[in-house]
Amino acid sequence: MEAVGEEQDTGQRRPWAFAAMAGSVLGAALQLQQRELWALAVYAAMALAALFALWVLQRLRHRGARATGLLALLLGAALAFGLAGTRAVLYADGALDPDIEGRDVEVVGVVAQMPQRGEGALRFRLDVESARWVGREAPSTGPAGWPTKLALGWYAENTGLWGRPVRDENQAPAPSMPAELHAGERWRMTVRLRAPHGNLNPHGFDYELLMWEQGVRAAGYVRAGSNDAPPMRLGMTWQHPVERAREWVRDAVFERVADKRSAGVIAALITGDQSAIDRADWDIFRATGVAHLMSISGLHITMFAWLAAALVGALWRRSTRCMLLWPAPQVALVGGVLLAALYALFSGWGVPSQRTVSMLATLALLRLTGRRWPAPNLWLCTCAVVVALDPWALTQAGFWLSFVAVGVLFATDAGESPAGRTSFVARLLRMLREQWVVTLALAPLTLLLFQQVSLVGLLANTFAIPWVTLVVTPLAMLGVAIPPLWDVAAWTVQGLGDFLQWLAAWPLATVSTGAPPAWLALCGVAGGVLLAMRLPLAMRALGLPLLLSALLWQPGRPEPGEFDLLAADIGQGNAVLVRTAHHALLYDTGPRYSLESDAGQRVLVPLLRALDVRLDTVVLSHRDADHTGGAPAVLATQPQAALRSSIEEMHPLQELRRSDKCVAGQHWEWDGVRFEFLHPVAADYESATKPNAISCVLRIDNGRASALLAGDIERDQESALVKRDPGLRADVLLAPHHGSKTSSSALLLDTLKPRIALVQAGYRNRFGHPADEVTKRYEARGIAVVDSPHCGAIAWQSTSPAAWECERAVARRYWRHVPR
């Protein structure tokens, strides 16, 4: 593209500016490492001082003074640090007042996003206009600390967050969820709220950061029981017209297309509603490396902008008058960015979409103003702009995928096509080549971010990229105007699905590796980018050792004769990973949250992959759903693992993998560590009246330290356990029944004499676990009670039996919730 103006700006005259840009990224990254926020005045003063110093630096440059890159780097870092901190302090002021949690509040607000229907639940966002306490005679302007954006669930029965029932003992079942609730409607409803509190595990998804970025400071559910005031629709507003249009299109697709799985893909491609895609289909897309084509991600919008620019440029060149009015390359650039922005807006304008559009707009503006900067400087500028708009983007995998993808495209760009090669077909082939390069370059980054990459991804993308880009997506979009085209689009989706399912069934279709440290991951990314760049083969080969150093990383394991425990943060349920030097066992698999989500799929499978764990045995203590809910997902990804449990012969899990019954006395040894079942005895299977009574109790011991995983046994089983082995001891105890008042008897605690009691329970769970009387019983004996709501994932090692490590303490950040 020709530069605008008489002289092109190559950026060589202002190296201090690029140093300041690099510093701004560094400063934002440093601010994100803060565990606690400082005072607003400190951040504001830092930002103003740095801004003034940069202005002086720029003035001195014109007077002949040579600014040093180091000074500009430090000032840029201070400016970004202060700005990010200032925004964080202002945002933190909108946090939910803890006094509001668990209390009924009547709110009036507008549905801000198209609702999501799930298994017996309706989830939506509400922009609050007013609020008042329920039961008070005089309405108030709202409780103190009231957030303006809520994430709510309306359940088929009066259930709490994540679908857990909270129906009172004396309350009749609530009516079904509403048949109609749409974006833009104003509603009055009674809600019960809590702070956005997510599960926190090593290498896990940060739900609290997602809520922070989206401005949602409270989550909750609609109170719709027989004793509650019924929710009332107050009318339609003119707010959120784009959301209303997205909802209309999504619902129209599902009404038109009979195959709901195909309808979900079509709806996702048009509206960005990723929840519309079936979970089984997502597994196939990830296994074949085409998930980026099925979601409106940063990479998806980037490639849409490239295609839109090619189409706009081709159409503009057909008119001589238009060519004389404005050069086609510039029109193509502007048109591509604008169409991509419109597409991102209609797809929900999520945080990844906002970052990508900002990045593309920055690149377009630099080119339009004649700044022909070298690729590294151009790349750095776009990163600085995006980070300035959203500093928390640096913690998101989507940012790095989008940023590296754009960088690779610029680094491998061969420039303008030669004469005679500017046809639409030539540009299309170029776009497809670029997608191939991005696929190759992002493969190592994907492996480092998600610990999994598809080995059939190149083959799958060879067919899927043109098929989705040129066939499925155009048909899906044209179907908005001509609905019968959605039927045709469904056929194309089904054909693609059959092909991908065939590829996913290949042996070794995917490869996994453990999560390396951050510095080693950066080396791997640098190696992958170097291999993709247009460089001599000898120079590109230098990227191979960098890449292999990250891919061949092996996470640490216990020494022979030692073992460690990791009590995962999975909400209300049990899931404990036990590792020795060369073996691993998973005790319980956590709860099922809904048909679409469970602890196995959301927490345990990614955790096992990140830690590079290959399970030898899965133990399911008993049949309750909060212990077995994640089992199907775990067993599907760990086909070699043996299953031991107390579940009955006709349990559905027996169809997935036959289970051996756990019986007291069974034992084995791994790497100098003894494992033994202490309960139930064989007779208990005949006499037990409820599943808790036959929970598999497992003791792990290396002669120097021991742990007891007790499932949901209650007082009678505890008494029988102590009677059979009066000398039983344990350094760490998985609190029986999550700290229920029916368990953790004085007899058991006085016998075991544990140092630490681990309580795996949900934040503000309806059962009140751990019970106050149980907590006092532990504390009276000097036993430390460590619970997952306050601690997150809990790590313990046999080498330090009196110590433990909390993920919320190790990875503490200012946006993460600290329960009272």
Side-chain angles (χ1 to χ4, degrees):
M1 179 186 304
E2 296 297 330
V4 177
E6 298 180 356
E7 182 181 359
Q8 292 185 6
D9 179 3
T10 62
Q12 301 303 318
R13 295 177 300 170
R14 50 179 67 87
W16 67 273
F18 296 111
M21 291 179 190
S24 69
V25 177
L26 177 62
L30 290 175
Q31 197 279 328
L32 295 180
Q33 305 307 309
Q34 286 194 287
R35 299 164 65 90
E36 300 284 350
L37 289 173
W38 299 338
L40 177 61
V42 176
Y43 291 116
M46 181 183 296
L48 290 173
L51 186 61
F52 177 75
L54 283 171
W55 177 79
V56 171
L57 193 64
Q58 193 271 344
R59 299 290 294 177
L60 290 176
R61 179 183 66 85
H62 287 299
R63 296 179 183 179
R66 177 170 295 183
T68 64
L70 179 59
L71 179 58
L73 181 76
L74 294 176
L75 291 175
L79 176 61
F81 191 102
L83 290 177
T86 299
R87 292 176 59 184
V89 171
L90 295 175
Y91 186 77
D93 288 341
L96 179 69
D97 188 330
D99 291 335
I100 300 176
E101 290 189 292
R103 301 177 62 181
D104 290 346
V105 180
E106 182 183 272
V107 298
V108 175
V110 177
V111 180
Q113 289 185 351
M114 60 178 181
Q116 304 291 333
R117 289 189 177 272
E119 178 198 9
L122 184 69
R123 294 180 175 85
F124 60 98
R125 298 288 173 84
L126 191 75
D127 286 348
V128 178
E129 297 177 335
S130 64
R132 69 179 184 90
W133 294 112
V134 172
R136 294 194 175 186
E137 295 182 0
S140 68
T141 57
W146 184 254
T148 57
K149 293 185 178 181
L150 308 179
L152 297 176
W154 190 339
Y155 300 94
E157 293 186 2
N158 195 15
T159 55
L161 291 174
W162 319 121
R164 292 191 295 270
V166 293
R167 187 172 58 246
D168 297 333
E169 294 283 341
N170 58 353
Q171 191 175 31
S176 298
M177 60 184 173
E180 300 292 337
L181 188 150
H182 304 290
E185 291 181 341
R186 179 176 286 110
W187 281 76
R188 176 187 292 118
M189 55 184 61
T190 301
V191 299
R192 184 169 290 182
L193 302 177
R194 70 172 192 179
H197 183 97
N199 301 327
L200 192 60
N201 295 279
H203 313 289
F205 176 70
D206 195 338
Y207 166 81
E208 293 165 25
L209 178 60
L210 176 65
M211 294 292 99
W212 177 282
E213 281 198 293
Q214 294 181 351
V216 178
R217 304 310 312 274
Y221 61 93
V222 178
R223 298 282 291 177
S226 58
N227 295 335
D228 300 307
M232 180 180 298
R233 181 182 181 274
L234 302 179
M236 177 62 73
T237 72
W238 290 100
Q239 301 179 45
H240 309 293
V242 175
E243 287 298 316
R244 293 204 303 271
R246 293 178 65 221
E247 182 184 357
W248 177 85
V249 171
R250 182 197 62 183
D251 294 346
V253 170
F254 277 96
E255 290 177 6
R256 175 78 194 189
V257 179
D259 182 13
K260 299 309 176 186
R261 294 179 67 172
S262 299
V265 173
I266 295 170
L269 290 174
I270 302 174
T271 67
D273 182 11
Q274 298 184 24
S275 64
I277 298 180
D278 188 85
R279 173 177 161 181
D281 288 332
W282 273 123
D283 292 338
I284 294 174
F285 297 152
R286 293 189 185 101
T288 54
V290 301
H292 63 98
L293 294 173
M294 304 300 169
S295 60
I296 312 298
S297 62
L299 180 59
H300 194 100
I301 293 174
T302 301
M303 297 313 302
F304 181 87
W306 248 254
L307 179 60
L311 290 173
V312 170
L315 293 174
W316 195 262
R317 288 184 178 90
R318 297 180 65 86
S319 171
T320 304
R321 180 175 298 179
C322 290
M323 289 285 289
L324 293 174
L325 180 65
W326 202 3
Q330 296 182 14
V331 173
L333 189 60
V334 173
V337 173
L338 290 178
L339 290 175
L342 291 174
Y343 184 37
L345 182 65
F346 191 77
S347 67
W349 198 241
V351 173
S353 298
Q354 297 173 33
R355 290 197 299 258
T356 305
V357 171
S358 299
M359 183 185 300
L360 294 174
T362 302
L363 292 172
L365 182 62
L366 290 173
R367 288 200 169 186
L368 288 173
T369 54
R371 286 166 171 79
R372 307 293 286 182
W373 294 343
N377 293 349
L378 194 63
W379 202 30
L380 180 60
C381 181
T382 58
C383 182
V385 170
V386 172
V387 171
L389 295 173
D390 179 16
W392 302 284
L394 289 169
T395 64
Q396 300 296 312
F399 165 79
W400 292 105
L401 289 171
S402 300
F403 181 56
V404 171
V406 173
V408 168
L409 289 175
F410 275 87
T412 59
D413 191 358
E416 295 294 333
S417 299
R421 297 285 293 172
T422 57
S423 66
F424 174 76
V425 174
R427 289 178 175 272
L428 177 61
L429 292 175
R430 184 181 178 188
M431 186 271 293
L432 294 178
R433 178 200 167 277
E434 288 165 345
Q435 178 64 70
W436 259 76
V437 170
V438 168
T439 301
L440 284 170
L442 291 188
L445 180 59
T446 302
L447 188 61
L448 295 172
L449 290 174
F450 304 109
Q451 293 76 57
Q452 183 180 36
V453 71
S454 174
L455 294 182
V456 298
L458 285 177
L459 179 58
N461 277 281
T462 301
F463 176 76
I465 289 170
W467 190 253
V468 173
T469 304
L470 303 178
V471 180
V472 180
T473 303
L475 286 172
M477 291 184 171
L478 290 172
V480 177
I482 311 173
L485 290 180
W486 281 334
D487 297 322
V488 182
W491 299 335
T492 64
V493 170
Q494 291 169 8
L496 176 64
D498 292 340
F499 173 68
L500 295 178
Q501 190 168 10
W502 174 66
L503 286 180
W506 285 15
L508 298 177
T510 61
V511 64
S512 301
T513 184
W519 66 269
L520 199 54
L522 290 176
C523 291
V525 173
V529 172
L530 193 60
L531 287 170
M533 293 181 67
R534 289 180 177 273
L535 295 171
L537 183 60
M539 294 185 65
R540 294 168 68 181
L542 296 176
L544 190 59
L546 291 174
L547 181 60
L548 291 179
S549 65
L551 300 184
L552 298 180
W553 165 262
Q554 294 293 323
R557 297 292 296 261
E559 295 293 329
E562 303 294 345
F563 68 101
D564 62 25
L565 304 181
L566 180 64
D569 187 4
I570 40 79
Q572 185 68 29
N574 280 153
V576 181
L577 175 64
V578 185
R579 299 189 304 170
T580 65
H582 301 101
H583 296 274
L585 175 147
L586 182 63
Y587 183 87
D588 283 336
T589 58
R592 190 193 76 167
Y593 309 119
S594 67
L595 279 178
E596 300 86 10
S597 178
D598 58 63
Q601 172 249 341
R602 280 178 47 183
V603 178
L604 298 177
V605 170
L607 177 63
L608 295 173
R609 186 183 298 130
L611 297 178
D612 196 22
V613 170
R614 189 174 184 270
L615 294 175
D616 296 275
T617 301
V618 175
V619 175
L620 301 178
S621 61
H622 61 297
R623 64 167 298 164
D624 285 357
D626 57 332
H627 297 254
T628 62
V634 171
L635 294 175
T637 57
Q638 300 281 341
Q640 77 290 334
L643 180 62
R644 293 171 177 257
S645 72
S646 63
I647 60 176
E648 64 274 20
E649 290 295 327
M650 301 305 293
H651 194 282
L653 285 174
Q654 297 280 12
E655 298 179 5
L656 298 179
R657 191 161 309 168
R658 296 303 301 176
S659 169
D660 294 329
K661 283 187 176 181
C662 57
V663 179
Q666 295 174 343
H667 61 87
W668 67 95
E669 186 172 305
W670 286 341
D671 306 316
V673 180
R674 179 182 174 86
F675 293 74
E676 181 179 6
F677 285 116
L678 304 183
H679 185 81
V681 298
D684 290 334
Y685 283 98
E686 302 297 329
S687 60
T689 59
K690 57 182 180 179
N692 288 359
I694 53 173
S695 292
C696 301
V697 177
L698 180 65
R699 185 172 187 265
I700 308 113
D701 180 28
N702 67 353
R704 296 175 299 279
S706 60
L708 188 71
L709 308 181
D712 278 0
I713 60 172
E714 299 180 350
R715 289 193 186 95
D716 290 344
Q717 292 77 49
E718 293 173 355
S719 177
L721 197 64
V722 171
K723 185 176 181 179
R724 288 195 296 269
D725 190 353
L728 186 62
R729 297 289 184 272
D731 292 286
V732 61
L733 169 67
L734 179 64
H737 204 177
H738 320 284
S740 167
K741 60 184 179 181
T742 62
S743 305
S744 298
S745 62
L747 176 63
L748 179 70
L749 301 185
D750 291 338
T751 301
L752 293 179
K753 296 181 172 59
R755 305 171 188 238
I756 306 166
L758 309 181
V759 178
Q760 289 185 296
Y763 175 63
R764 298 189 62 86
N765 64 87
R766 72 183 181 98
F767 307 101
H769 294 159
D772 289 341
E773 62 186 80
V774 171
T775 301
K776 292 177 181 178
R777 199 176 301 149
Y778 279 108
E779 292 174 348
R781 290 163 174 79
I783 304 169
V785 178
V786 187
D787 64 85
S788 51
H790 291 84
C791 191
I794 309 165
W796 177 90
Q797 298 178 354
S798 61
T799 54
S800 303
W804 67 91
E805 189 175 82
C806 290
E807 185 66 18
R808 285 195 176 271
V810 172
R812 186 172 179 180
R813 297 294 182 269
Y814 59 80
W815 61 79
R816 289 181 179 148
H817 179 234
V818 179
R820 288 204 305 183

